[in-house]
Amino acid sequence: MGSGPGSGAVDWHTHAVSPDLEAPDRQDADYAWPVAERVDATRATMWVGRRRYREIDDRCWSASRRIADMDAEGVAVQVVSPMPVTLCHDAPPGGAAALARAQNEFFAALVAEAPDRFRALGAVPLQDVDAAVAELRRCVLELGFPGVEVGTRVGPLELADPSFDPFFEAADELGAVVFVHPVDETLDPRLAAMGVAFGAGMPNETAVAGAGLLTAGTLVGRPDVRVCLAHGGGALPAILPRVTKGQNIAAAAAGRGPVPEADTALARAGRLWADSLTYDATSLRLVLDRFGEGHVVLGTDYPFAAREAPAGAVLHDLDPSLGARISAVNGETLMTRTTAGELEPR
């Protein structure tokens, strides 16, 4: 294996997809479902409806190919999760539920090929909260996943909308991880026109979702659900003081007193987790300051173009003990289903 911060690492941000992903049986002809079409043994094309979305290779589905890359970079365990475009939180609920279940069967089979090297985060049809809760329970209790991945919003609704409280309640009961990842298909079209959808659109989507969860108090009274934000929490670490100031401005305008310090977004940020995928040590230090050194895990976005290579490169500028904590210790902690009281202090 490799040496340095990546040795024995747990990579919490990797994606996988079946090369035979099909549209669900109960599909709506007007919805552009993501599907995969094999080109040959090592290549496939992802389609969104009739539009060619992305070319992918066997790193997306081959356990042996992934393990070879892991060994080369000192990664002990990968946590695989859906390609965000396959989450389909705006799709017809029945089809979304069928697609999520099919994806989770694929993830379970991939993990079973090398259970000491892989874990998985499942997919859930969050637009149907009851179905999402049922699939979350299946993922955790039957398939053995540590949690699930969700998008930053569900159709027109934000994650902090009260309609999703039963989902977060179930995640709390299960001690599940909820990995929040932006979906490029739902970004403001003007960002793509400017060429900054990846660089600005995704971080801002994550920031909005995270700010909503913190200010709405979604996680208050639910200590055992562990919400982990992709991409270092996006822009959220930088804007937390402004979000907190906005809370107090809104309270004053409504004739209320200042927001209690413990209820501000800045104070509540320590309830969140984030991955390390910032590409920059200065940015990562702010993430560590906002969320806590015990709440940041390694993430690389393997195997796509956005991936950090080698795994843990951004950690080399940190103190070695902190780099080791992020790359391995925190990842093992987050992977373990437990109650908040049993987690190590931040």
Side-chain angles (χ1 to χ4, degrees):
M1 285 196 174
S3 60
S7 297
V10 180
D11 186 350
W12 263 91
H13 186 167
T14 81
H15 297 295
V17 67
S18 168
D20 303 307
L21 183 70
E22 298 180 347
D25 292 335
R26 290 177 292 177
Q27 61 180 296
D28 186 317
D30 294 329
Y31 187 78
W33 294 100
V35 298
E37 183 179 89
R38 284 186 187 261
V39 176
D40 55 34
T42 62
R43 295 180 300 149
T45 300
M46 287 294 301
W47 297 83
V48 176
R50 297 172 184 241
R51 176 170 59 85
R52 187 186 298 268
Y53 173 73
R54 180 181 295 175
E55 303 301 317
I56 59 175
D57 62 36
D58 59 348
R59 292 174 297 171
C60 286
W61 63 84
S62 167
S64 60
R65 179 76 188 277
R66 295 177 78 105
I67 289 171
D69 288 345
M70 292 162 66
D71 287 347
E73 296 187 5
V75 174
V77 176
Q78 280 187 350
V79 181
V80 301
S81 59
M83 285 181 67
V85 74
T86 68
L87 294 175
C88 299
H89 291 331
D90 60 344
L99 182 63
R101 189 175 185 90
Q103 290 215 85
N104 294 335
E105 293 298 332
F106 163 74
F107 296 138
L110 180 62
V111 170
E113 290 191 56
D116 59 329
R117 304 301 300 272
F118 298 119
R119 302 290 187 276
L121 296 171
V124 291
L126 205 48
Q127 58 270 64
D128 181 337
V129 178
D130 289 343
V133 168
E135 190 63 17
L136 169 66
R137 291 186 179 281
R138 190 175 83 93
C139 283
V140 174
L141 299 179
E142 296 181 27
L143 302 180
F145 298 173
V148 296
E149 177 185 272
V150 301
T152 52
R153 48 181 156 148
V154 182
L157 300 178
E158 303 296 334
L159 286 183
D161 190 278
S163 62
F164 302 120
D165 282 354
F167 170 78
F168 285 102
E169 191 69 32
D172 180 66
E173 175 195 333
L174 295 167
V177 176
V178 178
F179 184 54
V180 179
H181 194 298
V183 179
D184 53 356
E185 294 293 288
T186 65
L187 301 179
D188 187 335
R190 69 191 180 96
L191 299 173
M194 291 189 289
V196 295
F198 172 82
M202 286 191 158
N204 283 316
E205 273 289 303
T206 305
V208 171
L213 292 172
L214 294 174
T215 57
T218 302
L219 306 182
V220 174
R222 296 176 179 135
D224 296 330
V225 55
R226 289 165 288 171
V227 173
C228 183
L229 304 180
H231 312 138
L236 184 61
I239 66 171
L240 278 169
R242 186 176 181 90
V243 174
T244 293
K245 181 67 173 178
Q247 287 180 280
N248 282 303
I249 291 173
R256 302 191 300 270
V259 176
E261 183 178 354
D263 294 337
T264 65
L266 192 57
R268 287 175 173 172
R271 279 286 287 109
L272 298 173
W273 294 64
D275 70 23
S276 62
L277 191 57
T278 59
Y279 312 109
D280 173 67
T282 299
S283 299
L284 180 57
R285 289 187 180 97
L286 182 59
V287 175
L288 292 162
D289 181 67
R290 298 299 194 217
F291 302 135
E293 293 182 355
H295 276 203
V296 179
V297 295
L298 176 66
T300 68
D301 222 337
Y302 177 95
F304 300 131
R307 69 169 296 210
E308 177 188 65
V314 72
L315 306 181
H316 282 277
D317 289 332
L318 302 180
D319 178 270
S321 63
L322 178 56
R325 184 177 189 186
I326 293 168
S327 67
V329 178
N330 292 348
E332 290 283 356
T333 299
L334 187 57
M335 209 158 40
T336 304
R337 283 180 56 211
T338 183
T339 64
E342 294 171 324
L343 291 174
E344 66 174 271
R346 286 183 60 239

